[in-house]
Amino acid sequence: MANVYGRLLNQSKDNLEDLLLVITSSQLRMSDEERLAQIDRIYNDIQDKLLFLRKFNESGNVLLMQRKREINDIKGISQFFNGKNP
């Protein structure tokens, strides 16, 4: 999970650097139409990353809940076989 978050962070940093280049008029020579197209591209890329991050977090939460249930099941079975029935 840390690798995924790290990669997303680095890619987002790259997006911000690209945006800074595009909006700083002295850095790149391009028309307003080209600038808007680049801004739209960066925006769409960031939106894709955000959607991915939300799905990834949701999947992580589902996995966490499954693991908690499994741990509780194991504890219950262990108590049952050790004669510690609730």
Side-chain angles (χ1 to χ4, degrees):
M1 288 184 84
N3 288 337
V4 171
Y5 289 127
R7 191 168 50 246
L8 278 173
L9 183 63
N10 287 331
Q11 291 173 353
S12 296
K13 181 184 70 85
D14 292 342
N15 284 132
L16 289 174
E17 289 171 355
D18 290 348
L19 181 61
L20 185 60
L21 279 174
V22 169
I23 63 174
T24 307
S25 61
S26 64
Q27 295 290 329
L28 297 175
R29 291 185 175 252
M30 57 176 59
S31 69
D32 288 345
E33 186 177 323
E34 290 170 323
R35 285 184 196 282
L36 291 173
Q38 287 300 313
I39 291 169
D40 286 343
R41 179 194 60 79
I42 294 166
Y43 172 81
N44 289 331
D45 193 44
I46 290 172
Q47 286 296 97
D48 289 344
K49 285 178 179 57
L50 179 59
L51 289 174
F52 171 80
L53 178 61
R54 287 179 177 161
K55 294 264 186 202
F56 184 75
N57 285 339
E58 185 179 312
S59 297
N61 286 334
V62 168
L63 183 59
L64 177 65
M65 296 306 292
Q66 288 173 339
R67 286 182 179 177
K68 284 182 177 182
R69 271 183 269 161
E70 288 174 3
I71 288 170
N72 286 336
D73 289 347
I74 290 169
K75 285 180 182 177
I77 291 170
S78 176
Q79 289 175 351
F80 179 78
F81 283 109
N82 288 329
K84 300 177 182 175
N85 295 353

